[in-house]
């Protein structure tokens, strides 16, 4: 609000100083009505009359009546504001309290001037007219916060919808790109399945599909039909001659890490179902390390009443699984709901997306604001340093630090060859540099549910019922070395 000395609001009555005897006429006070409403004065100056009554003695009202007669006002009962900028108002004779209809009647004696009704409440606050809002700017698919994002976009960046299918959310979870055959595997969200075989999952099923690319504009799409159970797959990663699926399990079938051949008939082989004899919760995300180990998150999701998994028996953890030595070891135990994982290009940093508890979830002591009586939980991306220890070079995680805190419901993350971190959010894909600074954003038409890099600068964005292709610079590709 501007200071009083610089105010641009000017009273519609007058901007010229007036004598003290007339200042009271400018005040917004409830007008006084005289006792005698009849008057034979027919002066040319008129006042707006109000229908209310004011407190005061009869003598005071008579004084006001005499003053009005001396000044040539139309009626002694018409005591109001001396607004010289407004048209005159008639004072209807013969009535002590004029009605609202009579106040806004045309002038007598055949005068042509008429009244325009004004919102007196708005006028009393001296609010200037609000100008119309300017037209909204044309939305742009890419927002640049730092010039470093221009290098990522390349010469001809573009966002285009490759597939749209409104039947169910076929493109719900993070895609798994298998570069050897240029195939993108995708899993759907749990959808109703009335078949008896879906009873253990409360009649819910997850559909696994794949898209085979033959050229930038030619592709085929098909469902993946495996001879064995896939245990409600969520996401996964490419691994050697196939892919690793994070199977969430059901009320009867355990959660597991499952290896699936990339080629038909897509045979599956369970690799891991428990930790020291206790069933896993629901593996969410998995990444491969160059040493051949698998790192995966196991939050407490899809469990409890209404879910398709039993109540959890393990805390939310991040594991490292060494397949050669059959060694499973927790590496992170201080997060609320660890979900998506991604390695830096040199695999020396592990990024973990931590989500807050769901509505009604039980606290585990990791909520911000502990000890204050208020639990404020926000999603955040944490970075851990991968530290090899011992003769077998079995790595540990150390140096936990807050990398970024996206405020728009993050769901997934990936890294590129230059160390930039891409986080899928409800309003698009947020891109952070290696220092955690937001440098750009790709705006999408809906919440992002999954991200996956393809070939030649392709970033595949899952939007539930749509699969969107984000074309970046030709030299942009996935940052993890993989296996």
């Amino acid at each position: 609000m501007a200071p009083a000395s610089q105010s641009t609001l000017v009273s519609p009555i007058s901007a010229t100083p007036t004598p003290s005897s007339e200042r009271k006429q400018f005040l917004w006070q409830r007008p006084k009505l005289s006792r005698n409403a009849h008057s034979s004065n027919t002066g040319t100056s008129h006042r707006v009359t109000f229908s209310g009554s004011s407190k005061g003695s009869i003598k005071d009202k008579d004084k006001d009546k005499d003053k009005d007669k001396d000044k040539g006002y139309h009626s002694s009962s018409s005591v109001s504001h001396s607004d010289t900028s407004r048209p005159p108002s008639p004072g209807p004779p013969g009535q002590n309290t004029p009605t609202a209809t009579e106040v806004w009647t045309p002038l007598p004696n055949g005068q042509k001037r008429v009244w325009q009704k004004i919102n007196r409440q708005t006028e009393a606050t001296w609010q200037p007219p609000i100008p119309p809002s300017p037209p909204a700017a044309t939305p742009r698919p890419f927002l640049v916060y730092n010039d470093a994002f221009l290098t990522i976009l390349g010469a001809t960046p573009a966002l285009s919808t490759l597939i749209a299918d409104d039947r169910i959310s076929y493109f719900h979870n993070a895609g798994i790109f298998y570069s050897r055959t240029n195939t993108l595997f995708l899993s759907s969200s749990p959808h109703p399945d009335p078949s008896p075989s879906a009873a253990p999952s409360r009649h819910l099923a997850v559909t696994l599909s794949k898209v085979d690319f033959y050229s930038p504009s030619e592709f085929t799409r098909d469902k993946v039909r495996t001879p064995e159970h896939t245990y409600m797959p969520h996401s996964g990663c490419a691994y050697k001659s196939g892919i690793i699926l994070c199977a969430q399990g059901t009320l009867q079938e355990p959660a597991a890490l499952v290896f699936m051949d990339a080629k038909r008939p897509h045979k599956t082989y369970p690799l891991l179902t428990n930790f020291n004899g206790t069933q896993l919760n629901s593996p969410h995300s998995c990444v491969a390390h160059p040493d051949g180990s698998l790192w995966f998150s196991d939050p407490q999701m899809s469990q409890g009443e209404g879910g398709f998994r039993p109540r959890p028996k393990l805390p939310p953890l991040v594991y490292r699984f060494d397949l050669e030595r059959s060694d499973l070891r927790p590496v992170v135990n201080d997060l609320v709901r660890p979900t998506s994982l991604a390695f830096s290009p040199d695999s020396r940093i592990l990024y973990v997306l931590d989500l807050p508890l769901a509505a009604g979830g039980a606290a585990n002591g990791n909520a911000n604001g502990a000890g204050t009586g208020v639990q404020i939980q926000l999603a955040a991306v944490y970075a851990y340093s991968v530290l090899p220890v011992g003769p077998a070079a079995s790595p540990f995680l150390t140096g936990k630090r807050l990398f970024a805190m996206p405020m728009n419901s993050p769901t997934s993350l990936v890294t590129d060859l230059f160390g930039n971190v891409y986080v899928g959010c409800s309003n698009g894909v947020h891109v952070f540099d290696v220092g955690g600074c937001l440098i750009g954003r790709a705006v999408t038409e809906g919440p992002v549910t999954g991200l996956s890099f393809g070939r030649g600068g392709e970033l595949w964005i899952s939007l539930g019922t749509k699969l969107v292709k984000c074309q970046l610079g030709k030299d942009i590709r996935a940052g993890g070395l993989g296996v």
Side-chain angles (χ1 to χ4, degrees):
M1 181 178 294
S5 60
Q6 299 179 359
S7 176
T8 59
L9 298 179
V10 180
S11 169
I13 297 177
S14 175
T16 306
T18 58
S20 59
S21 61
E22 297 183 8
R23 289 178 183 172
K24 63 180 181 179
Q25 301 177 9
F26 293 85
L27 299 179
W28 287 97
Q29 298 178 352
R30 191 175 184 87
K32 299 178 180 179
L33 298 179
S34 64
R35 180 180 58 183
N36 185 9
H38 300 280
S39 177
S40 59
N41 295 334
T42 57
T44 58
S45 179
H46 301 278
R47 300 282 187 94
V48 179
T49 59
F50 294 83
S51 60
S53 62
S54 60
K55 296 181 179 179
S57 63
I58 298 177
K59 295 182 179 180
D60 295 337
K61 296 178 182 178
D62 291 339
K63 292 180 180 179
D64 294 337
K65 176 186 66 175
D66 296 338
K67 291 181 181 179
D68 292 342
K69 289 182 179 181
D70 294 339
K71 295 183 180 180
Y73 292 159
H74 172 74
S75 173
S76 61
S77 63
S78 303
V79 180
S80 180
H81 319 291
S82 92
D83 186 354
T84 59
S85 64
R86 300 176 180 174
S89 172
Q95 296 184 8
N96 293 333
T97 306
T99 63
T101 304
E102 294 168 340
V103 171
W104 302 106
T105 54
L107 293 175
N109 302 328
Q111 299 185 30
K112 297 181 179 180
R113 183 177 297 176
V114 295
W115 282 99
Q116 179 182 358
K117 193 170 182 179
I118 300 173
N119 188 335
R120 290 181 284 185
Q121 180 179 0
T122 303
E123 194 175 72
T125 58
W126 303 109
Q127 295 179 354
I130 301 175
S133 301
T138 304
R140 298 289 188 270
F142 301 99
L143 303 180
V144 179
Y145 301 108
N146 189 284
D147 291 343
F149 190 49
L150 297 175
T151 305
I152 297 175
L153 294 179
T156 57
L159 276 175
S160 58
T161 301
L162 185 69
I163 304 173
D165 193 338
D166 296 333
R167 292 177 295 175
I168 61 174
S169 297
Y170 284 109
F171 318 106
H172 179 72
N173 297 315
I176 307 171
F177 183 73
Y178 189 68
S179 59
R180 297 184 184 182
T181 59
N182 202 14
T183 303
L184 180 66
F185 293 87
L186 301 135
S187 60
S188 71
S189 62
H191 55 85
D193 185 1
S195 62
S197 60
S201 58
R202 297 185 183 273
H203 289 285
L204 296 174
V206 173
T207 300
L208 186 65
S209 60
K210 66 176 183 177
V211 181
D212 292 307
F213 297 97
Y214 304 101
S215 69
S217 59
E218 297 180 351
F219 63 90
T220 59
R221 175 191 174 199
D222 194 11
K223 291 183 180 180
V224 176
R225 298 171 175 83
T226 59
E228 297 86 6
H229 294 290
T230 54
Y231 310 107
M232 306 284 286
H234 186 272
S235 63
C237 65
Y239 189 81
K240 296 183 178 180
S241 61
I243 63 175
I244 300 294
L245 296 176
C246 292
Q248 300 174 83
T250 63
L251 293 173
Q252 295 181 357
E253 299 169 333
L257 291 185
V258 179
F259 177 83
M260 186 184 75
D261 289 332
K263 298 181 180 180
R264 288 192 174 113
H266 301 298
K267 291 185 178 182
T268 58
Y269 308 91
L271 301 177
L272 179 68
T273 59
N274 66 88
F275 171 63
N276 291 339
T278 303
Q279 287 191 16
L280 300 175
N281 298 326
S282 290
H284 186 280
S285 178
C286 179
V287 289
H289 193 273
D291 63 3
S293 61
L294 294 174
W295 301 59
F296 67 96
S297 60
D298 188 32
Q300 297 174 347
M301 303 176 72
S302 306
Q303 285 95 359
E305 184 178 357
F308 52 84
R309 287 286 293 143
R311 293 189 178 276
K313 297 182 180 180
L314 291 172
L317 300 171
V318 176
Y319 295 90
R320 177 185 180 270
F321 180 42
D322 189 339
L323 282 75
E324 293 184 0
R325 297 190 298 174
S326 299
D327 176 58
L328 178 64
R329 179 166 53 88
V331 291
V332 175
N333 69 339
D334 59 348
L335 299 180
V336 179
R337 283 204 305 171
T339 54
S340 293
L341 309 177
F343 276 115
S344 62
D346 56 4
S347 298
R348 295 182 178 180
I349 299 176
L350 177 66
Y351 297 98
V352 183
L353 174 60
D354 187 25
L355 301 182
L357 290 174
N364 60 358
N366 294 327
N368 296 329
T372 63
V374 179
Q375 292 185 348
I376 303 175
Q377 299 177 344
L378 296 175
V381 179
Y382 293 96
Y384 295 84
S385 298
V386 181
L387 180 64
V389 178
S394 179
F396 284 82
L397 295 182
T398 184
K400 176 187 177 182
R401 53 210 182 265
L402 178 62
F403 177 79
M405 186 172 286
M407 300 296 292
N408 300 92
S409 303
T411 56
S412 56
L413 64 87
V414 293
T415 57
D416 66 11
L417 187 61
F418 301 97
N420 301 301
V421 180
Y422 301 68
V423 181
C425 300
S426 60
N427 62 345
V429 181
H430 296 217
V431 183
F432 300 86
D433 63 8
V434 292
C437 297
L438 179 65
I439 60 176
R441 176 160 64 95
V443 182
T444 58
E445 296 180 353
V448 177
T449 58
L451 297 173
S452 180
F453 275 106
R455 292 180 177 178
E458 296 173 341
L459 176 63
W460 299 107
I461 305 175
S462 300
L463 300 181
T465 59
K466 295 180 180 179
L467 179 62
V468 175
K469 174 184 175 182
C470 179
Q471 183 61 56
L472 304 175
K474 297 296 183 181
D475 55 346
I476 302 296
R477 57 185 179 89
L481 298 179
V483 179

